[in-house]
Structures are given as structure tokens and as C-alpha cells.
Amino acid sequence: MNDNDFPATPMMQQYRELKARDPEALLLFRMGDFYEMFGDDAERAGQLLGLTVTSRDKGPNPMPMAGFPHPALEAYLAKLVQHGVRAAVCEQVEDPKQAKGIVKREIVRVVTPGTLTDDNLLDPRAANYLAAIVESKGKLGLAWVELSTGRFSLTSVLRNELNDELARLSPAEVLISETALDTPWSKVLRTHCTAPITSRPSWDFQADQARQALFDHFRVTTLGGFGIDDDAPEVQSAGALIAYLRETQKSSLGHLTRLTPHHRAGILAIDEMTRRSLELTRTLREVKREGSLLQVIDRTSTPMGARLLSEWLMAPLTSLDAINARHDAVAELLADSMLRADLREAMGDAHDLERLAARIGTGRATPRDLVALGRTLSILPRIKARLTARKSARLCELETMLELCPEVRTAIEEAIVPDPPLAMREGGLIREGYHSALDELREIARGGKSWIAKFQAEQVRRTGINGLKVGFNKVFGYYIEITHAQGAKVPGDYIRKQTVKNAERYITPELKEYEDKVLRAEDRAFELEYELFIGLRDRVSADAPRLIQAGAVLAEVDVLTGLAELAAKQGYCRPEMMQEPVLEIEHGRHPVLDVLLPPGEFVPNDVKMGGDNGSIVLITGPNMAGKSTYIRQVALASVLAQMGSFLPARRAKLGVVDRLFARVGATDELSRGQSTFMVEMTETANILNNATPRSLVILDEIGRGTSTFDGVSLAWAITEHLHDNVGCRTLFATHYHELVDLEKTKPGLRNANVAVKEDQGDVVFLHRIVPGGADQSYGIHVGRLAGLPTNVLDRAREILAFLEKQHRPETNAPAPGQQQAPAKVMPRVKSARALQVSLFAALPDPLLNELRGIDVATLTPEAALELIQRLKDLAG
Ligand code: ADP
């Protein structure tokens, strides 16, 4: 529907003008006590916010309209932002009573998912980035900014690296040029990135324009001082971000004081698939924070600490010195439990200093924000004192960096009352005694009652009218009320104003003069309070960069203390870090299961790789035995150690990993239109092409998306390649027993399997990893756990026994003591397909036909349930 079709009342004309300024934004149009939306916006709002859509006029072409009362604004904005919608808030900017004609209205705020600063619209524990991407000079320039804290960074990436970088950042909104909408990378972006993508004018991204926008903002003539090349592609994206912020934020961007180049060299590269497989910040299936690594290791006490922890987890370090610096700090905080407790207690009282400082910088802080800032500043001396004379270099650095900003704190404490109201223009913000003119005005405004009492008594005496009363109402202000019965005594200088039942109301010049003074005093007091507050806020905003730095220090102290607390509570050990590619863990645990399982239930395991211990561990064993858990826990150990944490283990020795690759667990890629097998092979190709001798690779069940022959062959060849050509530390879990033969010719490969206890036909998985290959599948056992009917299980056992009896596998491998094998050992695959044909040929039953297709070893519980349903259907 076209809004231009609607009748052109002056107000609708005003609406249309405002709407045209940002046609894509949903316009919330203030009308009295309501925000209204019209036309398409009303329909959209109706759907997204569950509002009733009515129509404004009843003509042949009624205009849809929806609205909500003004106090509900923040709640509805939050909902719109969650839906990725940009909203423009339009207010009445003059008093309707004073307006000549139509009330003046302006868009005072544009709220977009990537530019939030309000606490109640933000998740305190997560960063909220606005990102911009541009293609230039064969690369993608990427810049991101967090308006709520003032961080502003940039880097450039290759096309195939974009998804991984975006997965790390997880932006809330992405800007691209309108001319880039059809590029291949933007199409990929749209399929992989859940954030709303906002298209922007192409000139914002043009090199000259973008550079100039940054020069103007930072008041520089080159970005060299930030360590950035003026011609780099990412500069174009950063410039486009500034242009967008200028347009949407009707306030200062003074807190964006620095551009920080993001150097990926010092960071452990973790691709998107690996992050997801390892459930670093979200679980794989439910995509929730609960159950992720982040959730269990988060012992921070402040929101800024929680955000920094998440950042560290998404970008572990690769420099040995930097990792050791964090470990030293954690060790010191772990050893001194009093220090830890004191710091945690102090930080428990801290507000979100980073976001407060940013709101102050953008001129958005409320009186309550200033009070929160004052309170947070008041705990800094305690924290600084506790960080003084520490052993670890990082804690000493943090102590030096922490500025107490006492003058800011004093200024706030002297000026603002401890518990100011939300409204900023209705008084009650400034302390008594802070400003003498304000005190006088307040005195006059408050003095009203005693003056009136005195005046009333005087008038009674003068007129002899005992029932004379002084009253006040909104229309007439102060008046003298005299009953009709005593009307005869009214003095001549009284001016009659109003007749009410039984009485007359009068005024006198003296009374009116006083009234003016009182009312003006109150108004002026409110105004003055507001001015004093704004003055204070401006003064404090000059300190925003120092405050932001204090916030960053608090965040880091919080993260380090939290990691020490985690180590203390969960019995973690300090890993010994080195350059050599070793990986030795004694009594290692999976950090998440360690917390989630009842105490003592998790079975710890060892791992020993590197040097004489070989570089590949091949873990064979049945499903549900604990293979994935084991290989994941090893990968998580590297992530934890390199982000600065201690490890859930008794002892650990880790060589720094440069890239981590994990392919674990089923992922639902089908919705993206690719077959599971294709996805699996693409990911494996990525690993084989990019892993270096310092990388860590963990693979789970590679090749299961295809037939057994194909699968075994691929898994075999992949393992050989990793062993012969890459030589990186690799843990490979598989249920293809055939692969155990690889150990015979690959000196760097060790077999391992999961110990199983058999008890009168029942099988117990001990979750203990032991040397050697497994030789049984126990798939039927898993089928029982999944609830397959007993007759199916019995029959499966019968068939298995038959198969095993009939077809003992022939061995291609050399018998002990014989000559070495030929140059290449071939897998000894049990020729399953041939066997199946001969076995089932005599049994032409549809039920058995179905059974024939089952690969019990890879059956998931869900698939098993579906299967049972199908079998039941077949049975009739
Ligand atoms: P697989 O990869 O061999 O199929 P998983 O690693 O998925 O097996 O583990 C199967 C189940 O066993 C999981 O539910 C897990 O909780 C449990 N488990 C795995 N390893 C251990 C362990 N070391 N201690 C206790 N429980 C474990």
C-alpha cells in the first residue's frame, strides 16, 4: 500500500516528511500520550508486536494504524530490535499548548540492533557489535564497533575467512553497500549470518569519502598513528560505520576515541565449524549458552568481565609469553584466596563501568547513571590497593592502568542525590547545599505553605470574616474563598473570580504576585537542576576515555579472578606451556561434563602425544562409549590453556597450537541445501589444506555419510595424509575397526579404545580410554539403550552371530614375524554388502528388507525411534 494515497491532512504531511527521511525504519510517531504507526508500518508492527491494527479514517481507502501508550516505548523497542527491525522514534518537540498550528515533531533517536546503548535493550553479558564489510583490492575489509562501550576495530580478510571472523564477532547488525547486495560473498553472508543486513549508500564505502569521515571524526590527517594504512580496504568499512552512526545517533560519538587494528596473527585460529562443534559459547543442538563451555567457566562478577571472558574464549592467544602472563596472574590469584575474595567482593558492587562511560560519552547518561558511576568509582581505591605490589607482571600493569578519577567521583557525590528519580526535568536530582541559587528557589517554592497561612490569618483579622480560606486550584491558582453568608463584609479591593456553590472566590494583587513568585520559583528550580545536571554530565564526559579504561581494567581483573575462582572450585591445574608440539594431559576431564555430572561420575582420562608418543591417536570403539567426549576434552584443554585458564586435569603439558580444527558430532546442514556428506567432505578438505605441523585436529566419524567401502577408504586416506604430509597432533574417533591396522605402518599413530565391561551379555561402557584398537561394535547394545523392541534385538544378535561365524575377516596385514608389509597396507574391510545379500536372499520379507538397511553402529536414538515406527508400520 502506498502511504501517499492517504488524505493529506497537515499532520499526515508532517508524518510523510519524517517517514521519507528513513523509509526503511519503522516510524514511531508521537501523538499525545501514544506512539502511532501508519500504513505499512502499522501492519508490520501489528505482526511483530501483536498490536491491534485499526484504521484512521473510514473512507474508501482507510489508513491502517496501530499504537501503544508512551510508557511502553522501551519494551516495544526491545521487541523490535529482537526482530532485527530499525525504529525511528519521533517526538513532539514543542509544547502542544504553545504550538501554532501543528505541533513540531522530530526524529530524536533511531534504534537499530547494532547501535544499542540502553541497558534495558542490551544483554549485559554479550558484546553488541555493528559490523561493516566491503570488497576492495581482492580482499574484504571488515570493521566493527560497539557503541555501548566505544570499541572500534578493523581488519581485512580473504573471502573464505569471512564466515569465521563473523562467527567470532557474532554482530548484531551488518552494513554492506547497496551495490554489493548481489555479490557472491554477500549471498554467503546472508545464508550464514543471522544478523540483519542493512544496505547503505555506496558512497559511504568509497575510499575517499570513508577516509575523510574517519579523519573528521578522529581529527587526524592520517590513520597511521593507529597503526592503520589509510588505503586499506577495512578503512572503507570503518568510514561507512561512522557515517551510519552519525545518521542514526542524534548524539555525540565522543567516546569513539580510538581505532584498533585487529591482528589475527597472535590469535588461535578457530573456524566457525570448530567453534560450533566444541560448543564454546552455544550448544550445538539448542544453540543456548546453558551447557556451553562459556557458561561453566564464567565465574565473573561484573557484566564487563563476562563480556571480556567471552571475547578471550573466542580468541585464545598463540604467544607463549602472553599466555604465560595470564597464567601467572591466575596462579597468584589462585594462591591467595583472601585476595581473590576481596577483589570479588569489591567487584560485586561495580556497575557496568564500560557501558556507563560510553553513555556518558554519547551524552545519554541519566542522573541514575551518574550515581551508578560514582558508586563504581568509590570501589576503585579498594581494588587498586589490593593490586598493589603483586608478583605477576599483568596484575602490576593493571594496577598502574587503573585511574581512580577521584575528582569525577567527588563531583557526582557532591551534586546528585543518592537515589534520583527517573525523570530529569521534574526536580529532585541535585543535593541541598550544592548550589545557593537553587537552594533559594527551593526555599521560595517550599515556603508557600507558611506564607499562605500567615496571609490567611492577616485577611481574617482585617475583614473579620472567620470562615475566610485561602485555596489553590489549577485553573485560577491561589484564591480567597468566602461563603455567601459572609459576602457583605468583603473588602472593596478583593477581585471576584469565580462563584461556586455557597461561596465566592476572590483574588488580590498581593496574592497573585506571590503566586507568580512561587510557581516561577518551582519551574526555575527544575530548570536549574536540569542545567546543573547537564553541566556535570558534560564535565564528566570529558573523562570518558579514562573511565572506559578503568572499565577495561575492571573487566580484566574480573576475568582473571574468575578464572582463579574456577580453578579453585573445580580443582584445575596450571598447564605447562611450550613451543614444541606436545600434548600431555594426566587425569583430564571434560570441563562441561565435569560440572554437569554428579560429583565423581566423570571418568578422567590421559592423553600423551608429541615426540616419541606419536602425533595421531586413533580411538576406535562403539558409539556412546565416550569417544567424542574424550577428543573434545582434549581440544577444549588447548582452548582453555591458550585463553589463559587453568585446566581440569591433574597435570598438563601443552605445546601452543596455531590452528584448531574440530569436526565433531552431527550438525544439521541440510537446511542450507547441502548434503551432510558434502559438508563433511568440504570441512575435511579445509582441514587437510590448512592444518600445519603446529595445529590440533580432532575428527569424529569422518566418512560415515557414505557407504561403508567409501567411508573406510576415505577415513583411511585422510588419516594417512595427516600422518605423512601434515604431522599435526590429531585425535580421530571412529567406529571403523578396519583403521586399527594403520598402526602397523604408521609409526606416529597410536591406537586407543574405550574400555568396556561385559557382564552376562550386558555391556557397560567404562568411559576409560586404554591403548589398543577395539574389535567389537556393540551397536546392538546401543540399539537396546535406544529402546529397539526385544524381538528386533534378538534377531539382530542372531544375524550377527551368523555373520561372524560365516565370515571371519581375512587379514591382509602381515602375520607377526613375517616380512614387512608391502609399501601400502590396505584396509581389511568386512565385505558387508556381499554378506548381506547372501544372508538375506533367502528371507524375502519387507520387515527384513528394512532391517537390511540399518547401520546399527551409526544409529542415533532419534533415528532409532523413527525406525521402530517404520518397522511397526511394516508389521501391520
Ligand atoms: P561416542 O562419541 O563414543 O558415541 P560420547 O562421547 O557421545 O560417545 O559419550 C556418550 C555418553 O557417555 C555421553 O552421554 C557422556 O555423558 C557419557 N560419557 C562420555 N565420556 C564420559 C566420561 N569420561 N565419564 C563419564 N561419562 C562419560
Side-chain angles (χ1 to χ4, degrees):
M1 191 180 301
N2 186 345
D3 290 351
N4 286 324
D5 297 344
F6 297 116
T9 61
M11 201 195 67
M12 272 340 274
Q13 213 165 327
Q14 186 189 38
Y15 171 82
R16 239 171 257 134
E17 274 167 32
L18 289 166
K19 178 75 193 162
R21 288 193 202 161
D22 189 355
E24 274 179 43
L26 198 111
L27 182 61
L28 305 176
F29 192 72
R30 181 73 179 260
M31 289 173 71
D33 286 339
F34 281 78
Y35 289 97
E36 301 288 0
M37 285 142 285
F38 300 104
D40 291 345
D41 279 0
E43 309 273 11
R44 250 170 107 197
Q47 260 181 8
L48 297 175
L49 306 176
L51 299 173
T52 315
V53 182
T54 56
S55 57
R56 180 159 169 78
D57 31 40
K58 302 277 174 276
N61 201 1
M63 158 150 350
M65 169 175 168
F68 54 81
H70 76 94
L73 178 67
E74 295 301 324
Y76 280 117
L77 280 177
K79 276 194 196 169
L80 288 172
V81 163
Q82 269 166 18
H83 283 104
V85 171
R86 181 158 87 235
V89 182
C90 155
E91 295 289 356
Q92 301 177 167
V93 291
E94 65 177 344
D95 187 343
K97 275 186 242 142
Q98 324 259 293
K100 295 193 187 75
I102 190 131
V103 184
K104 244 201 242 150
R105 292 183 171 85
E106 282 296 339
I107 294 176
V108 296
R109 182 174 165 205
V110 179
V111 180
T112 88
T115 59
L116 303 178
T117 50
D118 294 359
D119 258 354
N120 42 359
L121 298 181
L122 284 165
D123 176 351
R125 292 178 309 185
N128 194 73
Y129 290 120
L130 171 71
I133 308 168
V134 73
E135 184 167 22
S136 176
K137 301 179 185 138
K139 284 191 155 190
L140 293 174
L142 178 63
W144 58 98
V145 62
E146 194 187 33
L147 197 60
S148 62
T149 57
R151 293 183 195 206
F152 195 175
S153 311
L154 68 184
T155 191
S156 63
V157 295
L158 298 174
R159 263 196 226 172
N160 60 3
E161 295 167 335
L162 180 65
N163 280 340
D164 296 339
E165 268 315 278
L166 287 178
R168 181 178 66 78
L169 289 172
S170 180
E173 184 180 356
V174 182
L175 309 183
I176 64 173
S177 160
E178 60 198 355
T179 54
L181 287 172
D182 290 327
T183 56
W185 61 265
S186 82
K187 284 183 188 151
V188 174
L189 178 69
R190 247 167 290 154
T191 28
H192 283 266
C193 184
T194 49
I197 294 172
T198 306
S199 76
R200 299 287 302 158
S202 60
W203 60 79
D204 278 2
F205 286 89
Q206 271 164 15
D208 291 347
Q209 175 111 359
R211 205 166 26 234
Q212 197 55 48
L214 294 172
F215 288 175
D216 291 349
H217 176 81
F218 292 110
R219 299 204 186 98
V220 292
T221 50
T222 167
L223 301 173
F226 296 118
I228 297 161
D229 174 4
D230 289 341
D231 295 321
E234 56 269 35
V235 167
Q236 292 168 244
S237 297
L241 286 178
I242 285 286
Y244 185 65
L245 291 179
R246 281 226 193 104
E247 190 177 308
T248 54
Q249 306 303 302
K250 315 278 171 189
S251 56
S252 148
L253 300 172
H255 68 307
L256 306 185
T257 52
R258 225 156 31 114
L259 258 182
T260 317
H262 176 68
H263 296 295
R264 287 178 305 140
I267 284 172
L268 168 60
I270 309 179
D271 59 79
E272 187 196 352
M273 188 59 214
T274 303
R275 275 177 226 286
R276 287 172 48 204
S277 296
L278 293 179
E279 307 190 303
L280 295 186
T281 54
R282 297 269 179 270
T283 54
L284 203 53
R285 260 166 205 258
E286 295 179 350
V287 202
K288 283 202 182 136
R289 191 180 199 262
E290 282 66 43
S292 69
L293 180 65
L294 178 59
Q295 190 230 343
V296 301
I297 62 166
D298 187 353
R299 310 283 161 116
T300 57
S301 327
T302 70
M304 53 231 169
R307 290 196 299 272
L308 183 65
L309 180 74
S310 158
E311 212 174 282
W312 281 17
L313 180 59
M314 296 300 257
L317 306 171
T318 50
S319 140
L320 200 54
D321 289 346
I323 298 169
N324 280 328
R326 286 186 186 171
H327 286 170
D328 286 344
V330 174
E332 188 168 1
L333 291 161
L334 173 64
D336 190 340
S337 59
M338 281 301 288
L339 170 65
R340 202 166 68 235
D342 284 354
L343 287 173
R344 280 167 64 80
E345 197 202 315
M347 275 180 306
D349 296 332
H351 292 265
D352 196 334
L353 187 52
E354 274 185 309
R355 286 189 171 166
L356 279 175
R359 275 208 296 286
I360 288 162
T362 50
R364 289 224 171 98
T366 63
R368 289 190 179 178
D369 285 338
L370 287 194
V371 170
L373 174 66
R375 294 222 174 102
T376 307
L377 291 178
S378 74
I379 62 172
L380 296 190
R382 258 154 80 200
I383 291 177
K384 195 170 172 84
R386 291 307 262 133
L387 292 177
T388 309
R390 288 292 137 215
K391 286 200 292 288
S392 77
R394 190 59 193 156
L395 292 181
C396 294
E397 274 165 28
L398 290 169
E399 192 268 339
T400 317
M401 281 162 68
L402 184 61
E403 288 194 55
L404 302 179
C405 311
E407 63 296 338
V408 176
R409 175 185 160 197
T410 316
I412 295 172
E413 284 174 355
E414 280 174 2
I416 312 271
V417 300
D419 190 13
L422 266 180
M424 296 200 273
R425 289 172 181 272
E426 290 169 27
L429 312 177
I430 305 291
R431 279 183 193 268
E432 297 278 341
Y434 176 67
H435 195 267
S436 55
L438 175 65
D439 288 346
E440 269 168 41
L441 288 171
R442 280 178 170 164
E443 191 48 43
I444 296 170
R446 229 181 285 131
K449 284 213 182 82
S450 57
W451 189 90
I452 298 289
K454 213 165 89 210
F455 178 77
Q456 180 172 310
E458 254 171 48
Q459 298 303 316
V460 169
R461 208 175 322 118
R462 180 181 154 210
T463 58
I465 306 173
N466 283 337
L468 178 149
K469 277 204 179 70
V470 177
F472 178 85
N473 77 19
K474 281 214 167 115
V475 183
F476 294 105
Y478 286 102
Y479 54 79
I480 300 165
E481 189 171 285
I482 297 171
T483 56
H484 294 312
Q486 295 182 303
K489 293 189 192 164
V490 171
D493 60 334
Y494 277 26
I495 306 159
R496 208 175 59 170
K497 262 287 180 217
Q498 193 189 12
T499 308
V500 291
K501 204 178 161 199
N502 299 332
E504 294 290 334
R505 287 179 179 173
Y506 304 87
I507 54 169
T508 69
E510 189 190 3
L511 187 60
K512 280 295 121 179
E513 203 178 296
Y514 179 75
E515 177 185 307
D516 267 7
K517 205 169 151 197
V518 169
L519 293 185
R520 261 187 295 125
E522 185 163 63
D523 279 353
R524 278 181 37 222
F526 289 175
E527 223 168 275
L528 184 56
E529 284 202 47
Y530 182 70
E531 277 166 25
L532 290 170
F533 164 68
I534 298 295
L536 177 66
R537 185 169 74 181
D538 288 349
R539 231 180 315 142
V540 174
S541 81
D543 279 306
R546 282 162 77 207
L547 298 171
I548 289 176
Q549 169 154 320
V553 171
L554 277 196
E556 189 166 338
V557 172
D558 190 15
V559 171
L560 293 168
T561 316
L563 288 175
E565 177 74 9
L566 172 75
K569 290 280 145 45
Q570 295 300 122
Y572 281 19
C573 75
R574 176 173 184 165
E576 187 187 334
M577 302 303 293
M578 54 197 58
Q579 294 292 8
E580 299 70 39
V582 295
L583 205 171
E584 291 177 21
I585 300 175
E586 222 178 270
H587 256 234
R589 309 182 305 269
H590 188 290
V592 178
L593 285 182
D594 186 36
V595 173
L596 297 186
L597 287 182
E601 243 174 60
F602 190 85
V603 181
N605 275 303
D606 300 345
V607 64
K608 224 170 190 182
M609 299 171 82
D612 293 345
N613 297 310
S615 62
I616 302 191
V617 182
L618 184 84
I619 305 124
T620 39
N623 283 330
M624 289 302 287
K627 301 188 298 300
S628 324
T629 307
Y630 175 67
I631 63 176
R632 273 181 216 232
Q633 102 189 16
V634 174
L636 292 178
S638 279
V639 173
L640 282 175
Q642 290 183 219
M643 71 172 273
S645 168
F646 285 11
L647 300 183
R650 190 186 282 162
R651 211 179 58 80
K653 215 162 136 180
L654 301 183
V656 173
V657 170
D658 66 346
R659 301 195 66 148
L660 175 63
F661 296 95
R663 218 237 149 255
V664 188
T667 49
D668 180 17
E669 297 289 329
L670 289 174
S671 56
R672 295 188 188 170
Q674 290 188 354
S675 87
T676 314
F677 184 62
M678 182 63 196
V679 171
E680 184 184 301
M681 285 300 113
T682 314
E683 285 161 10
T684 312
N686 168 38
I687 297 176
L688 299 188
N689 292 327
N690 292 306
T692 78
R694 296 195 172 276
S695 302
L696 174 62
V697 173
I698 67 168
L699 295 170
D700 193 17
E701 302 288 10
I702 289 298
R704 74 170 154 186
T706 183
S707 75
T708 311
F709 284 147
D710 269 2
V712 173
S713 316
L714 280 167
W716 185 284
I718 288 164
T719 317
E720 276 187 345
H721 178 85
L722 286 169
H723 180 277
D724 300 346
N725 303 331
V726 185
C728 59
R729 287 157 287 180
T730 306
L731 290 119
F732 189 172
T734 180
H735 72 282
Y736 291 134
H737 314 126
E738 292 81 4
L739 296 190
V740 300
D741 287 347
L742 271 166
E743 194 182 35
K744 300 200 174 91
T745 51
K746 301 293 169 195
L749 184 144
R750 302 280 179 279
N751 277 321
N753 73 98
V754 196
V756 169
K757 195 170 94 191
E758 282 187 72
D759 191 11
Q760 298 171 357
D762 232 359
V763 178
V764 183
F765 294 145
L766 299 176
H767 305 307
R768 213 176 57 237
I769 309 289
V770 292
D775 56 7
Q776 271 208 65
S777 167
Y778 299 101
I780 296 174
H781 168 71
V782 176
R784 185 175 65 75
L785 292 180
L788 282 182
T790 322
N791 58 337
V792 174
L793 292 170
D794 288 348
R795 181 67 180 135
R797 268 190 211 103
E798 213 174 289
I799 297 166
L800 181 66
F802 175 81
L803 285 175
E804 284 180 344
K805 199 155 133 235
Q806 294 283 309
H807 297 272
R808 292 264 170 244
E810 333 76 60
T811 309
N812 286 344
Q818 264 186 0
Q819 268 254 270
Q820 250 311 315
K824 280 200 177 236
V825 172
M826 300 307 289
R828 53 185 172 108
V829 178
K830 296 168 198 165
S831 50
R833 260 189 305 201
L835 292 177
Q836 281 165 4
V837 173
S838 68
L839 176 69
F840 291 115
L843 306 164
D845 184 320
L847 201 63
L848 288 170
N849 258 339
E850 182 72 34
L851 272 174
R852 194 182 296 155
I854 305 176
D855 182 358
V856 181
T858 62
L859 205 59
T860 64
E862 287 98 308
L865 284 175
E866 269 177 39
L867 179 67
I868 295 164
Q869 188 57 50
R870 267 204 315 281
L871 293 175
K872 277 191 77 174
D873 292 347
L874 279 173

